[in-house]
Amino acid sequence: ILCWVCLGWVVSNRKGLPKDVLKEKLQKGEMTYAKQDCLMCIKWKDTRNVLVLSTAHSADMKQVSVKSKTGPILKFKPSAIIDYNINKTGVDHGDQMVSYYPFQRKSFK
């Protein structure tokens, strides 16, 4: 089986996602996953549910230091989420910048 290396978040109503992963209720910091061939679907709950599809990661958690109001705290995150946060630059950052400035629409006035 030939697989490309891909990683990205996905919305929960996307067609084809495993139903058992979507229906599972998680507490803060918990993770569940399903794997089919080389594609893994990971659901992790932090402040909200996060769904990630990856072909390059396993379902392991790593300890990271996170900023908080009281100072840095240690937290466990899935390795796919950590990798996504490190490498997201172009698309997410560009979408964020565009959302701040409304663009002009053509009109017939």
Side-chain angles (χ1 to χ4, degrees), residues 5 13 15 17 24 29 37 39-40 48 60 62-63 65 71 79 81 88 102 108:
V5 177
N13 61 353
K15 184 179 175 182
L17 292 176
E24 192 160 345
D37 296 328
L39 185 64
M40 180 170 288
R48 63 182 61 93
D60 60 332
K62 292 183 180 177
Q63 192 173 23
S65 179
S79 60
I81 302 283
K88 68 173 181 180
F108 290 108

Side-chain angles (χ1 to χ4, degrees), residues 17-92:
L17 292 176
K19 302 291 183 200
D20 54 332
V21 170
L22 295 176
K23 290 181 181 178
E24 192 160 345
K25 303 290 183 196
L26 300 174
Q27 298 296 319
K28 189 172 183 175
E30 290 183 341
M31 177 188 75
T32 185
Y33 68 94
K35 186 170 183 170
Q36 180 180 8
D37 296 328
C38 60
L39 185 64
M40 180 170 288
C41 177
I42 299 171
K43 181 179 179 182
W44 176 65
K45 176 127 184 195
D46 189 29
T47 52
R48 63 182 61 93
N49 289 327
V50 179
L51 279 167
V52 175
L53 292 177
S54 176
T55 60
H57 296 87
S58 60
D60 60 332
M61 304 272 279
K62 292 183 180 177
Q63 192 173 23
V64 293
S65 179
V66 179
K67 295 179 191 175
S68 71
K69 293 178 183 178
T70 59
I73 58 172
L74 294 176
K75 188 184 230 184
F76 283 96
K77 288 186 178 183
S79 60
I81 302 283
I82 295 168
D83 219 17
Y84 178 79
N85 288 336
I86 291 169
N87 295 310
K88 68 173 181 180
T89 52
V91 175
D92 292 340

